[in-house]
Amino acid sequence: MKKHNFFAGPSILPQYTLDKTIEGIKDFAGSGLSVLEISHRSKEFIACMNDTISLVRELLDIPAGYQVMFLGGGASLQFAMVPMNLMEKKSAYLVTGEWATKAHKEAKLYGEAVEVASSKDRNFSYIPKGYPVPSDASYFHITTNNTIYGTEMKKDPDSAIPLIADMSSDIFSRPVDVSKYSLIYAGAQKNLAPAGVTLIIVKEEILGKMTRQIPTMLDYRTHIKAESMFNTPPVFAIFAAQQTLQWLKDMGGVKAIQKKNMEKAQLLYDEIDRNKLFVPTVNDPEDRSLMNICFVMASGYKELEQPFADFAKSRGMVGIAGHRSVGGFRASTYNALPRESVQALVDTMKEFERNN
Ligand SMILES: *Cc1c(COP(=O)(O)O)cnc(C)c1O
């Protein structure tokens, strides 16, 4: 039976990426070697790295003055690298979920990390608005998509101080005005590649202003200077990212995928709103994520949660269990998820409603 992959991360990749990766595992760029056994200093891999970085630049329309890097350590390492490299004494954090909370926690190790607003009071089910940001902070940190609770900041906010964003779960899902950000980071395993690599886009002029000592491996300037080859980069994950980016470019880029993502999300939110058995966890359509769509059983139908999980599983749905801190269900609708999978979930919900 066809599986519909709704996992939150690692998550579905385009069939194109899987096919090209299989080819590369057998014979990488006509080298006669597998991508798994090639030197990162080989001319074939250097070409792959350069092309991957150009694709990132092209797809996100990155202006001059920005550097693009691929590092290890996941988005979680960026929680610490950001304050280490960029926070003099004070920083500002918008706390919209579990990942934002973790990022905020690391910044506290380096000084005063101000929480400008939080949506914790309602289990992170909305995006706070209308908060002041201290003008003397080194930067303002946001998490554009809240992977666990299903909220998203779909517009690039204005900020009077340098803006930094964790875009792990919505990068490449829509056009981004990179010029509004000083630094963007994203773990690859949601919308780009298998786990193992993190994309960083940084405005070069904000670096090098710190008085503190930064360990070599944790200093962005090390990796800029060495073009992401200071040490062995995650070769395989970068190769896979190149395939996903090529796929995205071929289908028309981030504007084209945004349209598809909006249609997929609308299809599912409409059904959640219509179906008497389910309720959304995020009410304001403006705050609803287009990437992670969360819903729970409506009151009076709680006992149907496990039966629905079983029924959906029997229909080929995989990875729709909600995060343990929310419960219910979460369908991740990343770029690579076909509309047919969303339709299949909607049909499953309708059928379950008819049966119950
Ligand atoms: C998944 C995720 C992370 C954590 O990524 P790792 O690569 O596992 O460290 C951080 N932030 C957001 C928004 C995420 O979705």
Side-chain angles (χ1 to χ4, degrees), residues 69 71-93 99-100 102-111 113 137-143 162-168 182-186 198-203 206-210 212-215 217-221 223:
M69 281 171 269
L71 304 183
S76 300
L77 181 61
Q78 296 308 307
F79 298 164
M81 270 178 82
V82 163
M84 203 182 278
N85 282 266
L86 300 169
M87 172 177 174
E88 193 57 62
K89 289 198 180 72
K90 191 170 180 178
S91 60
Y93 279 73
W99 297 116
K102 286 182 170 159
H104 183 216
K105 175 168 177 266
E106 293 305 293
K108 287 181 204 162
L109 297 171
Y110 296 93
S138 297
Y139 61 78
F140 175 40
H141 180 283
I142 60 172
T143 309
L163 182 63
I164 295 188
D166 176 357
M167 293 195 186
S168 294
S182 290
L183 189 142
I184 292 169
Y185 62 91
T198 310
L199 170 66
I200 289 116
I201 301 165
V202 62
K203 193 176 197 174
I206 65 160
L207 299 173
K209 295 181 178 164
M210 249 357 64
R212 81 171 57 87
Q213 299 278 314
I214 305 170
M217 261 301 278
L218 301 178
D219 189 328
Y220 290 119
R221 290 169 302 173
H223 302 285

Side-chain angles (χ1 to χ4, degrees), residues 45-341:
F45 184 70
I46 290 172
C48 165
M49 176 73 99
N50 291 339
D51 184 52
T52 311
I53 289 176
S54 337
L55 283 164
V56 171
R57 286 189 179 280
E58 183 183 341
L59 286 163
L60 292 180
D61 197 13
I62 299 179
Y66 285 79
Q67 293 285 347
V68 176
M69 281 171 269
F70 285 104
L71 304 183
S76 300
L77 181 61
Q78 296 308 307
F79 298 164
M81 270 178 82
V82 163
M84 203 182 278
N85 282 266
L86 300 169
M87 172 177 174
E88 193 57 62
K89 289 198 180 72
K90 191 170 180 178
S91 60
Y93 279 73
L94 181 63
V95 179
T96 47
E98 198 151 313
W99 297 116
T101 304
K102 286 182 170 159
H104 183 216
K105 175 168 177 266
E106 293 305 293
K108 287 181 204 162
L109 297 171
Y110 296 93
E112 189 195 350
V114 178
E115 174 186 290
V116 297
S118 167
S119 47
K120 192 170 195 256
D121 58 339
R122 284 194 272 138
N123 205 24
F124 299 118
S125 61
Y126 68 103
I127 302 280
K129 287 161 196 97
Y131 42 79
V133 176
S135 60
D136 59 342
S138 297
Y139 61 78
F140 175 40
H141 180 283
I142 60 172
T143 309
T144 50
N145 184 63
N146 177 357
T147 324
I148 294 178
Y149 304 87
T151 59
E152 186 176 10
M153 301 171 80
K154 284 171 276 200
K155 289 196 198 90
D156 305 305
D158 292 311
S159 173
I161 60 173
L163 182 63
I164 295 188
D166 176 357
M167 293 195 186
S168 294
S169 50
D170 65 349
I171 190 127
F172 299 114
S173 70
R174 60 177 165 96
V176 168
D177 181 354
V178 175
S179 72
K180 286 193 167 182
Y181 298 86
S182 290
L183 189 142
I184 292 169
Y185 62 91
Q189 69 274 22
K190 314 280 163 59
N191 235 349
L192 187 58
V197 72
T198 310
L199 170 66
I200 289 116
I201 301 165
V202 62
K203 193 176 197 174
E204 207 166 359
E205 68 176 33
I206 65 160
L207 299 173
K209 295 181 178 164
M210 249 357 64
T211 45
R212 81 171 57 87
Q213 299 278 314
I214 305 170
T216 311
M217 261 301 278
L218 301 178
D219 189 328
Y220 290 119
R221 290 169 302 173
T222 303
H223 302 285
I224 291 173
K225 196 156 155 261
E227 299 183 337
S228 299
M229 301 256 196
F230 175 72
N231 69 326
T232 317
V235 169
F236 177 69
I238 293 168
F239 172 72
Q242 180 192 25
Q243 313 316 312
T244 303
L245 295 168
Q246 188 60 51
W247 167 83
L248 184 55
K249 180 179 166 176
D250 292 347
M251 71 146 50
V254 285
K255 254 204 137 82
I257 204 84
Q258 179 186 40
K259 187 163 175 280
K260 287 179 196 273
N261 287 334
M262 287 165 91
E263 288 165 5
K264 285 186 294 182
Q266 194 64 48
L267 187 62
L268 184 51
Y269 280 120
D270 282 350
E271 176 60 16
I272 295 166
D273 288 336
R274 185 208 63 78
N275 194 310
K276 70 173 189 298
L277 302 181
F278 304 102
V279 286
T281 60
V282 179
N283 287 317
D284 188 344
E286 195 184 322
D287 294 349
R288 286 177 171 180
S289 172
L290 303 187
M291 297 282 102
N292 310 97
I293 299 177
C294 299
F295 53 102
V296 293
M297 302 312 296
S299 70
Y301 295 106
K302 301 281 181 219
E303 76 289 352
L304 289 177
E305 182 165 320
Q306 193 53 46
F308 178 70
D310 296 339
F311 185 67
K313 190 170 174 220
S314 77
R315 290 289 187 275
M317 310 293 140
V318 181
I320 60 164
H323 189 269
R324 59 189 180 280
S325 55
V326 189
F329 301 95
R330 168 177 55 174
S332 296
T333 52
Y334 296 122
N335 285 354
L337 185 83
R339 187 190 165 96
E340 300 81 79
S341 288

